[in-house]
Amino acid sequence: MTGRILVVGSLNADLVVRTERFPRAGETVSGGDLSIGAGGKGANQAVAAGRLGGDVSLVGAVGADANGELLRAAVSDAGVDIATVSVRDGVATGTALITVAADGENTIVVSAGANATLAPADLTDDALAGAAVLGLCLEVPVATVRDAAERGRAAGVTVLLNPSPFGPAARELAPLADVLLVNEGEAEALLGVVEGAVASDPSAVRDGFAALGVRRAVVTRGGDGCLVVDGDAEPAHIPAVRITPVDTTGAGDAFMGALLLRLADGDDLLAAARFAAGVGAFAASRPGAQASYPTAAELRAFRA
Ligand code: RIB
């Protein structure tokens, strides 16, 4: 049994079309059949942890529509408590328009819908009480994320922030997190360092994070693994799990959900990130966001 995991974040209906390659600006390309899947960075984190056996609750909002029903059912089926996922009248459920190219890479445009209505008051003291870890992303209003992070820290909850979609708020919110999860490009933008600095000078990256008030961070590097920064220690490199990417949509959220699970279970950051790397790789080797996340048994078979 793990400590309780709380996620405050988004739910989106993912409208996905696969295409050989992405269109250039102004260009039209043909794609395959349209599929509708369960996504949203917050819901994805929660489902990744829930499917692996975590005790997870999600705070979020959907519209009173068919997509909202679909998303609540998908999250609940993964064993996540959805009592704090509100259904709002007069607003559509969040939607993501996703293209996936033959190499597994994606582009995503999000229409926030009900996610934009998630307010600080949606996170009640009752929901926060007893949580071991709190997962946050930036697909809900910044004020809500800031408030949740501050209250989580004050309550002794370990706060993990994935500042994605990445923007100016990341710099302001990063110091509020106990653990920051960013990809390589985001880390370099946040630290104001040149491209390639994460790979070439991990100690400078650690020092740059420390100057921002961030003592613990994981920097994911796609096929090059990830870098774990934990206090003053020399940053540790974790090699990538070798896979053939099918669809990288939501792989970062799977990583985050697995990190939440293992930190709630008492692992140190390095051990948690090692585990999360396997979960992220599993997700990238299958289509969809939540649809690609493993159960504990599936993950064991994948690693064997
Ligand atoms: O990180 C992947 C997610 O981003 C998708 O599920 C989509 O909904 C967008 O939120």
Side-chain angles (χ1 to χ4, degrees):
M1 193 60 187
T2 66
R4 204 161 65 75
I5 299 162
L6 181 64
V7 175
V8 176
S10 55
L11 302 93
N12 293 326
D14 288 355
L15 309 187
V16 185
V17 176
R18 293 195 74 104
T19 161
E20 193 52 36
R21 62 169 180 83
F22 300 131
R24 287 183 288 273
E27 187 189 18
T28 301
V29 297
S30 294
D33 291 340
L34 173 73
S35 69
I36 303 183
K41 294 181 195 303
N44 292 350
Q45 294 172 14
V47 165
R51 202 164 282 157
L52 288 165
D55 173 10
V56 192
S57 303
L58 175 64
V59 176
V62 295
D65 52 26
N67 282 342
E69 278 306 304
L70 178 138
L71 298 181
R72 281 167 52 89
V75 174
S76 177
D77 285 351
V80 175
D81 183 351
I82 58 163
T84 47
V85 175
S86 306
V87 180
R88 308 268 208 247
D89 287 322
V91 60
T93 294
T95 310
L97 304 181
I98 302 179
T99 50
V100 180
D103 63 0
E105 282 301 324
N106 63 63
T107 67
I108 304 179
V109 178
V110 170
S111 170
N115 296 308
T117 70
L118 199 70
D122 286 308
L123 173 60
T124 62
D125 290 339
D126 277 356
L128 193 56
V133 295
L134 169 64
L136 299 168
C137 63
L138 297 188
E139 282 187 334
V140 296
V142 170
T144 303
V145 176
R146 187 191 304 112
D147 177 81
E150 287 172 348
R151 285 166 57 205
R153 289 286 289 263
V157 180
T158 299
V159 176
L160 277 74
L161 172 66
N162 175 215
S164 177
F166 190 78
R171 184 171 265 270
E172 169 208 334
L173 295 172
L176 298 177
D178 293 292
V179 178
L180 192 71
L181 174 64
V182 286
N183 67 31
E184 191 166 16
E186 292 165 348
E188 288 165 357
L190 203 54
L191 300 174
V193 295
V194 293
E195 199 179 320
V198 170
S200 63
D201 198 351
S203 306
V205 167
R206 174 201 58 203
D207 296 345
F209 276 131
L212 285 182
V214 175
R215 301 273 302 154
R216 305 171 80 203
V218 180
V219 183
T220 56
R221 303 185 53 227
D224 291 320
C226 64
L227 187 75
V228 178
V229 174
D230 196 352
D232 294 330
E234 194 58 31
H237 171 72
I238 296 177
V241 177
R242 292 282 155 223
I243 51 142
T244 303
V246 169
D247 179 359
T248 56
T249 308
D253 306 328
F255 191 109
M256 173 87 162
L259 211 53
L260 285 162
L261 178 80
R262 282 308 181 100
L263 291 177
D265 211 8
D267 274 10
D268 63 30
L269 188 58
L270 186 59
R274 241 185 251 290
F275 175 79
V279 176
F282 184 104
S285 65
R286 284 152 176 81
Q290 291 169 30
S292 70
Y293 297 170
T295 61
E298 287 168 338
L299 187 65
R300 274 194 299 276
F302 173 69
R303 287 143 108 206

